[in-house]
């Protein structure tokens, strides 16, 4: 007697449910996706008991006639694709025809639906996969699906559910994803009788983010100018530099509206923020990629989260470029001149940065000037002048208010009060200067009058030996002798006056602490470490002239708002924020 038999439908659905319906949040996700596929303009979600008591999704989409409503409950019944070929170009969220029967097989399930052409709607009730009632029902156009007692008949799955708080958090996330994926769809969310969200339909993603996360969080994000290239369109919002988070909970990637995990997208993001992130910090991002669906394989994962791109590296580069240019733009915005009346006032009273010996004006202009207009400024040796890049207009103005303790400078900017961290500013200035030198293949080096010869601890010596090439590109001339001796004949000029032994030891120690730099980014990594270490304790004259020079040089940097480790250099307190704190608005 044969032992192989075809599984009864209900059992097959329960098995499939294991893949599709992992937890209450997956039910919400599948139901909302169906609503979106049905062209809903408004979706209402109600959840009780972290989804185990009740999950209800109501939409105003196309609805189903009686026949379709019953078909929808059959496995592999879908209105979305008919042939295998169509799978490649699928534009809907669903296409497997598995969600409804799966959900219905592990819950007390009710579906109410009506199409526009019919006066009467249909109600179908399913319990643990068995159809128990079909009747006519009066209801609005669209569909309501109600799921009660999820997993009541699969105790094993029920046991695997996490705490209500965790399951709720997953549900919240599923809602956030739809909210951010489809700003044009109104969305309301009721949790245990309390309204969590009521989001109006909006044609602006930025507005939707404001509605969803609040205005405060919204202003931390920059809107990217949409970028279109090679049939790839990238748009969305990203963190302002410095406004990062300790986790990735605010990273949302969408491909044609579908929330996805994908390495190309994550890499594009990470590369755009290089040198702007402290370790352990993550930018927020809501990123939309539009691309021909035939270029995306979304059939990789049952819940369709993971996708593959046919042209992964092009997608990555487009994402990188879109984000990087938003960050560059933000920089320009940040540095736009203070209000014109102040600027006018400034130029009338104080034509340029203050000259030595004269009374120091309280209102002074800080303008990155051409090198010749700034002869031999009294800048700390550790903070060399950064020549403005070609083509940059020196229109960037801040009013220097003055020092705040030894550590900070206070500035008035166009948009509010700015606090500047002097040590961090020095690090940034040095870093860019050196980086520029490195990338141009030459850092200005200074020959020592007397070569320095010294012994290093064996491990440090080894690291110097391993990174000799990188050190040379950075402006060092070093020879290694037998034993653990090192001879330094030249150092990058920004380090002039520093003790060679100490500098080299610091390099090596930094490498040891942070893991020896490897690969393409090695030179940059060495430089960054060295600069961070050296600039931290650099002595700096504290006269007003030096303060001006510091601000000027910082503003000429590419990324003036964070140091090479991503810590902020400048913090801005907007007028709005100040007004609000003082209760004026
Ligand atoms: P899939 O979404 O993969 O097609 P589902 O099991 O999720 O499979 O849904 C089966 C079918 O039921 C869908 O193809 C669709 O025709 C119909 N359907 C499901 N939900 C809705 C809804 N909210 N409004 C209209 N039709 C729906
Ligand atoms: Mg579906």
């Amino acid at each position: 007697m044969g032992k192989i038999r075809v599984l009864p439908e209900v059992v097959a659905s329960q098995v499939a449910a294991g893949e599709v319906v992992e937890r209450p949040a997956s039910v919400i996700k599948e139901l909302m996706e169906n609503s979106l596929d049905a062209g809903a303009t408004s979706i209402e979600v109600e959840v009780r008991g972290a989804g185990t008591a009740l999950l209800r999704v109501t939409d105003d989409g196309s609805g189903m006639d009686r026949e379709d409503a019953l078909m929808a409950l059959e496995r592999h019944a879908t209105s979305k694709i008919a042939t295998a070929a169509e799978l490649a170009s699928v534009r809907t969220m669903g296409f497997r025809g598995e969600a409804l029967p799966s959900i219905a097989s592990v819950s007390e399930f009710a579906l109410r639906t009506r199409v526009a052409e019919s006066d009467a709607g249909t109600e179908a009730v399913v319990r643990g996969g068995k159809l128990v009632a079909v009747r006519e029902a009066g209801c609005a156009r669209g569909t309501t699906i109600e799921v009660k007692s999820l997993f009541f008949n699969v105790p094993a799955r029920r046991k695997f559910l996490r705490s209500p708080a965790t399951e709720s958090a997953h549900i919240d996330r599923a809602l956030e994803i739809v909210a951010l994926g489809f700003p044009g769809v109104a969305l309301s969310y009721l949790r245990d009788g309390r309204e969590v969200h009521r989001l109006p339909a909006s044609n602006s993603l930025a507005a939707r983010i404001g509605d969803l996360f609040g205005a405060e969080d919204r202003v931390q994000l920059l809107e990217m100018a949409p970028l279109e290239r090679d049939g790839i369109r990238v748009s969305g919002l990203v963190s302002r530099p410095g406004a990062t988070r300790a986790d990735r909970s605010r990273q949302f990637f969408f491909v044609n509206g579908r929330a996805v995990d994908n390495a190309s997208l994550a890499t594009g993001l990470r590369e755009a923020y290089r040198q702007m992130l402290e370790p352990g910090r993550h930018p927020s991002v809501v990123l939309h990629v539009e691309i021909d669906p035939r270029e995306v394989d979304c059939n990789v994962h049952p819940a369709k989260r993971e996708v593959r791109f046919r042209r992964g590296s092009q997608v990555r580069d487009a994402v990188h470029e879109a984000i990087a240019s938003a960050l560059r733009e933000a920089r320009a915005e940040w540095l736009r001149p203070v209000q014109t009346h102040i600027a006018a006032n400034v130029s009338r009273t104080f034509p340029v940065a203050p000259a030595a010996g004269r009374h120091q004006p309280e209102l002074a202009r800080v303008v990155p000037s051409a090198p010749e207009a700034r002869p031999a400024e009294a800048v700390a040796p550790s903070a060399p002048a950064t020549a403005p890049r070609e083509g940059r207009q020196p229109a960037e103005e801040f009013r220097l208010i003055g020092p705040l303790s030894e550590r900070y400078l206070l500035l008035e900017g166009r948009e509010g009060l700015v606090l500047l961290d002097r040590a961090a500013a020095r690090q940034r200035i040095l870093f860019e200067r050196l980086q520029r030198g490195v990338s141009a293949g030459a850092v200005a080096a200074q020959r020592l009058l007397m070569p320095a010869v010294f012994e290093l601890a064996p491990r440090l010596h080894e690291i110097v030996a391993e990174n000799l090439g990188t050190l040379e590109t950075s402006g060092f001339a070093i020879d290694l002798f037998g034993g653990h001796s090192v001879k330094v004949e030249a150092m990058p000029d920004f380090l002039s006056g520093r003790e060679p032994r100490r500098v080299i030891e610091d390099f090596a120690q930094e490498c040891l602490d942070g893991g020896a730099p490897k690969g393409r980014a090695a030179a940059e990594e060495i430089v960054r470490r060295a600069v961070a270490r050296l600039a931290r304790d650099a002595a700096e004259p504290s006269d007003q002239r030096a303060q001006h020079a510091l601000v000027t040089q910082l503003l000429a940097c590419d990324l003036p708002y964070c140091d090479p480790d991503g810590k902020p250099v400048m913090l801005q307190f907007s007028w709005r924020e100040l007004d609000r704190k003082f209760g004026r608005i």
Side-chain angles (χ1 to χ4, degrees):
M1 167 119 174
K3 286 185 186 151
I4 301 177
R5 68 192 133 212
V6 174
L7 283 178
E9 264 315 293
V10 172
V11 179
S13 290
Q14 285 182 3
V15 172
E19 285 188 2
V20 184
V21 192
E22 205 187 333
R23 55 180 8 140
S26 4
V27 175
I28 285 293
K29 169 186 180 289
E30 293 293 339
L31 297 182
M32 289 201 297
E33 288 186 356
N34 280 345
S35 299
L36 293 168
D37 285 344
T41 62
S42 167
I43 303 177
E44 290 168 29
V45 175
E46 183 173 356
V47 171
R48 286 183 189 276
T52 51
L54 169 73
L55 295 157
R56 181 163 44 215
V57 174
T58 300
D59 67 54
D60 64 350
S62 63
M64 288 171 272
D65 62 23
R66 192 185 184 108
E67 193 188 341
D68 278 353
L70 293 175
M71 273 293 279
L73 299 170
E74 305 274 340
R75 291 194 67 215
H76 305 304
T78 179
S79 55
K80 298 168 195 173
I81 54 169
T83 63
E86 285 176 57
L87 195 57
S89 57
V90 65
R91 278 190 183 271
T92 51
M93 308 288 282
F95 53 80
R96 288 164 201 260
E98 224 151 37
L100 291 191
S102 297
I103 297 165
S105 74
V106 294
S107 68
E108 294 174 8
F109 178 101
L111 175 158
R112 271 183 296 279
T113 186
R114 181 170 76 77
V115 290
E117 307 80 61
S118 165
D119 294 336
T122 305
E123 181 177 53
V125 181
V126 184
R127 195 169 188 280
K130 288 200 194 78
L131 187 65
V132 293
V134 183
R135 52 190 165 237
E136 234 176 51
C139 56
R141 187 203 126 163
T143 304
T144 297
I145 288 177
E146 207 172 77
V147 176
K148 291 182 177 163
S149 312
L150 185 64
F151 300 137
F152 79 97
N153 53 348
V154 253
R157 288 214 78 81
R158 218 184 159 97
K159 251 200 332 242
F160 271 106
L161 291 180
R162 311 293 289 273
S163 71
T166 303
E167 295 302 336
S168 270
H170 282 283
I171 296 171
D172 293 356
R173 176 87 183 173
L175 265 120
E176 287 173 5
I177 285 173
V178 170
L180 297 171
F182 296 85
V185 175
L187 193 59
S188 77
Y189 176 23
L190 214 63
R191 187 171 61 204
D192 294 316
R194 206 176 62 83
E195 185 173 289
V196 181
H197 296 304
R198 180 165 291 279
L199 309 172
S202 167
N203 54 15
S204 148
L205 176 61
R208 171 52 64 90
I209 290 173
D211 291 337
L212 183 66
F213 295 133
E216 299 238 334
D217 285 11
R218 161 65 188 91
V219 297
Q220 302 297 328
L221 299 173
L222 293 163
E223 197 161 0
M224 301 184 237
L227 177 137
E228 269 186 88
R229 176 199 282 178
D230 311 326
I232 302 161
R233 184 177 194 276
V234 181
S235 60
L237 290 92
V238 285
S239 282
R240 291 178 186 282
T244 53
R245 299 172 69 90
D247 57 39
R248 290 192 179 82
S249 64
R250 287 279 171 85
Q251 295 191 348
F252 299 87
F253 295 101
F254 298 93
V255 175
N256 299 335
R258 185 194 300 284
V260 299
D261 293 326
N262 174 271
S264 305
L265 302 180
T267 310
L269 172 71
R270 201 172 49 242
E271 285 180 356
Y273 277 88
R274 263 181 75 206
Q275 296 155 23
M276 296 170 58
L277 290 173
E278 270 177 83
R281 303 291 299 181
H282 306 278
S284 303
V285 62
V286 181
L287 190 106
H288 280 266
V289 174
E290 252 78 47
I291 189 169
D292 186 329
R294 280 168 301 192
E295 299 219 18
V296 191
D297 182 4
C298 48
N299 208 7
V300 182
H301 186 260
K304 308 178 219 87
R305 267 275 334 162
E306 273 169 47
V307 295
R308 265 188 229 125
F309 292 107
R310 266 212 267 147
R311 294 181 291 150
S313 57
Q314 261 155 296
V315 172
R316 179 200 62 208
D317 292 347
V319 167
H320 178 180
E321 182 46 34
I323 297 175
S325 71
L327 295 172
R328 282 195 299 272
E329 185 60 29
R331 173 189 183 282
E333 188 183 300
W334 231 83
L335 300 177
R336 223 168 280 149
V338 282
Q339 299 101 304
T340 33
H341 73 273
I342 295 181
N345 196 2
V346 167
S347 46
R348 185 156 33 81
T349 328
F350 314 104
V352 227
R358 267 214 260 129
H359 166 68
Q360 295 299 343
E362 88 182 270
L363 203 65
R365 214 152 61 123
V366 177
V367 179
S369 44
E372 60 273 18
R374 203 180 42 197
E377 264 182 4
V379 184
S382 59
T386 306
R389 310 288 217 81
E390 273 166 48
R392 178 166 294 162
Q393 292 304 306
E396 303 159 344
E397 297 179 23
F398 278 82
R399 184 169 77 88
L400 175 62
I401 301 170
L404 182 70
S405 87
E406 296 197 331
R407 222 175 277 167
Y408 305 108
L409 293 179
L410 271 179
L411 307 170
E412 181 185 330
R414 187 177 59 108
E415 284 171 21
L417 175 73
V418 175
L419 260 170
L420 181 152
D421 181 321
R422 295 161 81 164
R426 284 197 301 271
Q427 291 186 39
R428 167 51 67 184
I429 293 164
L430 278 175
F431 174 67
E432 288 202 7
R433 189 184 137 99
L434 200 52
Q435 190 187 36
R436 220 164 284 157
V438 168
S439 59
V443 170
Q446 222 167 62
R447 217 137 259 288
L448 302 177
L449 289 175
M450 283 273 290
V453 180
F454 48 88
E455 292 254 316
L456 279 179
R459 297 219 41 201
L460 299 186
H461 187 270
E462 202 175 302
I463 284 170
V464 172
E466 279 167 11
N467 295 289
L468 213 50
T470 319
L471 285 165
E472 268 161 19
T473 342
S474 306
F476 288 90
I478 298 178
D479 268 337
L480 299 177
F481 295 127
H484 300 114
S485 305
V486 176
K487 179 160 98 175
V488 180
E489 287 181 303
M491 296 212 296
D493 66 354
F494 78 94
L495 292 173
S496 71
R498 308 217 133 231
E499 204 217 318
R501 181 197 183 108
R502 173 82 201 282
V503 169
I504 296 298
E505 274 178 353
D506 283 353
F507 265 123
Q509 194 59 51
E510 286 277 321
C511 294
L512 202 61
D513 296 345
K518 286 188 197 78
R520 205 161 51 97
E524 200 175 298
E525 198 62 27
I526 281 255
V527 165
R528 194 177 70 149
R529 287 171 181 170
V531 167
R533 163 81 50 120
L534 294 165
R536 242 182 343 241
D537 45 42
E540 183 206 3
S542 195
D543 57 88
Q544 209 169 14
R545 207 184 161 88
Q547 291 161 16
H548 276 278
L550 189 73
V551 177
T552 305
Q553 291 160 18
L554 179 68
L555 298 188
C557 287
D558 282 338
L559 291 176
Y561 30 53
C562 59
D563 77 7
D565 289 318
K567 296 204 186 75
V569 172
M570 293 189 277
L571 292 179
Q572 180 164 260
F573 301 86
S574 68
W575 300 128
R576 223 187 126 69
E577 200 177 335
L578 293 174
D579 286 347
R580 204 175 43 229
K581 292 222 157 92
F582 284 109
R584 287 168 165 270
I585 51 169

